[in-house]
Amino acid sequence: MDGWILYTHIIHTKKSNHNGVTHFAYWCCPPAGRGSGPAWCRQPCTVQEGTSCKRSEDMEGVWALCCESSTCRQDRDGNIMPLIGLGTYGDPRTTPKETAYKSVKLAIETGYRHIDGALVYFNEHEVGQAIRDKIADGTVKRQDIFYCGKLWNTFHPPQLVRPALERTLKTLQLDFVDLYIVEMPTAFKPGDTFYPRDEDGKYIYHETDLCATWEALEACKDAGLAKSLGVSNFNKRQLELILNKPGLKHKPVSNQVECHPYFTQPKLLEYCRNNDIVLVGYSPLGTSRDESWVNLTCPPLLEDELLVSLAKKYKKTPAQVALRFNVQRGVVVIPKSFSPSRIKENFQIFDFCLSEEDMKAIEGLNKNIRFVELLMWSNHPEYPFHDDY
């Protein structure tokens, strides 16, 4: 898995200096099902500044990633994916200008280091400006930021992959992205029309070999344009296409999918764990109630009685409980918000732990139904959601 360093949750970080050498000690908690409360926190994993982390035997099977940026780096790629990121999608037709810019700036000031974006969001220029401004004012360095970009459906042909990534980099005004992922396995007619339709209004699809697309992505990584590669909305069969590809140079390090207490993805999560693929959960708090692409039969997640009850118990909000549930399972979360108060609130999930009993109760909320069904593309040959997982 390109050497990802996996921990469930860094509950405390201590910086010390021995003989002029800076070390960082991380106290980590194991995943749900292996105890609860302070008594089950592991011994610190101490690493020297600027060197690679090594996963100890005591950490075997522990899942998730560092919750904040540090000098602890990934073994091979030099990447650590922060456990929580800011999603930046906003409907370009209704989102006011500079909304993404202001939100990303605030997020970085709050402590976020993981920013999730995409060319098709039409706001990467604002996201990039916010990142560069926070670098310029000394808040962060470029190596502190983890930016995830996405290859859109109209750029699957191998010859279009690198130009699409270069377009993202030019828009961001950055030299590389930390993670570049295939946004969907469903290819559309190639070109700059992101949602191509015929004269009858039907989407125009395109047959593309996902393995050939992946090889083009590998070339981008080798060229230094992306630190790591991943996928999004891929089911098990589609992941296996990549993993079993002859001559595979770089495995996908992550699979970004919908994941929240009403759709916990247990089978896909287990498969990804077994193949050293990090599951990144989008819509971890549910999603907007846009009937054009959202399943409105699924009840609003944050009004769930159990989540409301647990929020009172832990003196948190239902949103914080839902996010904490996923990070304790080792799922990276990327809640989208343009609300200043919610951006700050969503980040405050590292000062409490859900008990094993409460984790099991939340797991029991699973309804195996999606908010994001994307039914308008359900007749695509590579539509991923027909499969069990």
Side-chain angles (χ1 to χ4, degrees), residues 116 154 234 246 385:
D116 182 83
T154 54
F234 274 46
F385 304 149

Side-chain angles (χ1 to χ4, degrees), residues 208-272:
T208 299
D209 181 353
L210 288 173
C211 290
T213 301
W214 189 258
E215 288 179 359
L217 285 166
E218 290 178 318
C220 290
K221 173 175 162 55
D222 290 340
L225 302 181
K227 295 291 187 180
S228 292
L229 305 173
V231 297
S232 179
N233 295 303
F234 274 46
N235 58 35
K236 175 187 175 183
R237 177 186 62 81
Q238 292 159 340
L239 285 169
E240 288 180 336
L241 279 175
I242 305 299
L243 294 174
N244 297 329
K245 186 186 82 67
L248 180 67
K249 291 182 65 177
H250 304 297
K251 287 184 177 181
V253 300
S254 63
N255 186 18
Q256 187 179 125
V257 296
E258 179 177 353
C259 191
H260 47 73
Y262 281 176
F263 193 59
T264 57
Q265 298 266 25
K267 293 181 180 179
L268 187 59
L269 177 58
E270 183 65 19
Y271 177 81
C272 286

Side-chain angles (χ1 to χ4, degrees), residues 322-350:
L323 293 172
R324 180 69 211 183
F325 164 73
N326 256 337
V327 301
Q328 276 189 224
R329 300 167 70 225
V331 175
V332 174
V333 291
I334 47 171
K336 172 265 172 181
S337 181
F338 291 150
S339 162
S341 62
R342 291 198 186 103
I343 289 172
K344 294 177 182 178
E345 173 190 302
N346 290 343
F347 197 72
Q348 302 305 313
I349 60 172
F350 299 113

Side-chain angles (χ1 to χ4, degrees), residues 11-27:
I11 58 168
H12 179 64
T13 306
K14 182 179 180 180
K15 185 175 181 178
S16 60
N17 188 288
H18 299 288
N19 298 322
V21 178
T22 302
H23 289 75
F24 293 84
Y26 300 99
W27 278 258

Side-chain angles (χ1 to χ4, degrees), residues 22-294:
T22 302
H23 289 75
F24 293 84
Y26 300 99
W27 278 258
C28 303
C29 295
R34 293 182 60 180
S36 61
W40 53 266
C41 291
R42 301 300 195 188
Q43 293 298 312
C45 166
T46 305
V47 295
Q48 182 177 324
E49 181 176 19
T51 63
S52 299
C53 282
K54 299 295 183 183
R55 193 163 46 157
S56 70
E57 289 298 317
D58 201 35
M59 292 294 168
E60 188 62 32
V62 173
W63 283 87
L65 299 157
C66 296
C67 63
E68 60 183 359
S69 62
S70 71
T71 55
C72 173
R73 296 301 180 204
Q74 180 183 333
D75 284 6
R76 290 181 235 171
D77 284 352
N79 257 347
I80 288 179
M81 178 189 290
L83 188 56
I84 184 169
L86 178 74
T88 60
Y89 170 76
D91 188 334
R93 298 167 296 182
T94 59
T95 304
K97 291 183 179 180
E98 295 198 346
T99 297
Y101 171 75
K102 294 175 182 177
S103 298
V104 172
K105 278 190 67 175
L106 175 62
I108 293 173
E109 291 164 358
T110 300
Y112 290 79
R113 296 296 180 261
H114 179 174
I115 308 297
D116 182 83
L119 178 66
V120 78
Y121 296 173
F122 297 98
N123 61 10
E124 280 191 316
H125 59 293
E126 294 186 14
V127 173
Q129 185 66 57
I131 292 172
R132 298 196 313 277
D133 284 356
K134 297 316 294 179
I135 292 173
D137 70 13
T139 302
V140 292
K141 297 178 181 178
R142 173 62 185 93
Q143 58 264 35
D144 298 327
I145 296 296
F146 185 97
Y147 184 79
C148 173
K150 303 183 182 75
L151 179 74
W152 181 238
N153 301 2
T154 54
F155 304 113
H156 279 209
Q159 70 274 18
L160 299 182
V161 171
R162 178 163 178 163
L165 174 51
E166 289 176 335
R167 181 172 172 181
T168 275
L169 294 175
K170 182 178 180 180
T171 303
L172 292 167
Q173 294 186 43
L174 297 176
D175 295 329
F176 65 89
V177 293
D178 300 272
L179 177 64
Y180 198 55
I181 66 178
V182 182
E183 188 159 359
M184 292 282 297
T186 49
F188 292 171
K189 177 185 176 182
D192 288 329
T193 300
F194 290 171
Y195 301 94
R197 297 173 184 257
D198 63 18
E199 58 186 15
D200 296 321
K202 296 180 180 180
Y203 288 100
I204 306 174
Y205 300 144
H206 182 72
E207 285 191 29
T208 299
D209 181 353
L210 288 173
C211 290
T213 301
W214 189 258
E215 288 179 359
L217 285 166
E218 290 178 318
C220 290
K221 173 175 162 55
D222 290 340
L225 302 181
K227 295 291 187 180
S228 292
L229 305 173
V231 297
S232 179
N233 295 303
F234 274 46
N235 58 35
K236 175 187 175 183
R237 177 186 62 81
Q238 292 159 340
L239 285 169
E240 288 180 336
L241 279 175
I242 305 299
L243 294 174
N244 297 329
K245 186 186 82 67
L248 180 67
K249 291 182 65 177
H250 304 297
K251 287 184 177 181
V253 300
S254 63
N255 186 18
Q256 187 179 125
V257 296
E258 179 177 353
C259 191
H260 47 73
Y262 281 176
F263 193 59
T264 57
Q265 298 266 25
K267 293 181 180 179
L268 187 59
L269 177 58
E270 183 65 19
Y271 177 81
C272 286
R273 283 177 173 174
N274 290 337
N275 287 276
D276 293 330
I277 296 171
V278 175
L279 201 70
V280 179
Y282 67 71
S283 298
L285 304 177
T287 188
S288 67
R289 311 299 284 179
D290 186 338
E291 63 181 8
S292 66
W293 57 279
V294 173

